[in-house]
Amino acid sequence: MSTQGSMSSSKPLTRPIRVGVVGLGRMGMIHALHIHELAQESDLCRLTCVSTTDRKSADTFLLLTGGSTPVFDDIEGLAKSGLCDVTVIATNTPLHREHSLMMIRRGQRVFLEKPLTGTLQGDREYAELLEREHPQALMLGFQRRFDAPI
C-alpha cells in the first residue's frame, strides 16, 4: 500500500499535525523554534518531541520554549515514542539517509534539511530508492530553491 494518500492535502485536518525534530544544531534549532511558534499561533501543528545528542542544545531549547516538549537523547527513542506524525531531520549529513529512512519506514513523512546524502552518487541512489519504494515520503529543504540565480 502506498503512503501517498495517507496525508493528502485535499483532506481537511481533523487535528494538528504532530511534528518531531531530530537534531538541535543551528538549523534544527531554527526549525524547532519555528514549529513551536507556529503552534502558538495556530492549530495547524504541535511540536510534540525533539531529539539531540547534545544536552546543552536540549537545555537551550527547553529554556527558550518553556520546557514542556519531550526531549530524546537519540533518534531511536523519538522513533519508538509514537509522538509525531511528521519528522524534521537536521542531523549531520552522513546520517541523513539512515535517519530519514528510519522515520519513513515507521510511516512518517520527513522534511530533510539539505543535503540529501552529501555525494552526487549517494543522492542519485537514494532518490531512486525513495521514488521506487517511498514516493512523496520525503521533502528536501533548500531555502534558496526559488532564487532566480539558483
Side-chain angles (χ1 to χ4, degrees), residues 31-46:
H31 288 301
L33 292 173
H34 284 172
I35 296 162
H36 175 76
E37 291 168 11
L38 180 61
Q40 304 303 308
E41 299 169 2
S42 74
D43 273 340
L44 295 174
C45 64
R46 294 287 173 258

Side-chain angles (χ1 to χ4, degrees), residues 49-111:
C49 53
V50 298
S51 76
T52 182
T53 57
D54 180 359
R55 190 66 232 171
K56 185 177 177 185
S57 292
D59 293 340
T60 299
F61 172 77
L62 291 171
L63 182 66
L64 292 170
T65 61
S68 62
T69 305
V71 177
F72 294 91
D73 294 335
D74 57 36
I75 189 174
E76 289 85 5
L78 183 141
K80 291 175 184 174
S81 75
L83 291 175
C84 55
D85 307 308
V86 172
T87 307
V88 174
I89 297 178
T91 56
N92 294 329
T93 300
L95 299 171
H96 282 184
R97 181 177 174 145
E98 173 189 345
H99 286 171
S100 59
L101 265 179
M102 177 189 303
M103 299 311 292
I104 289 168
R105 288 179 174 151
R106 290 186 161 274
Q108 297 280 307
R109 295 296 176 105
V110 171
F111 178 88

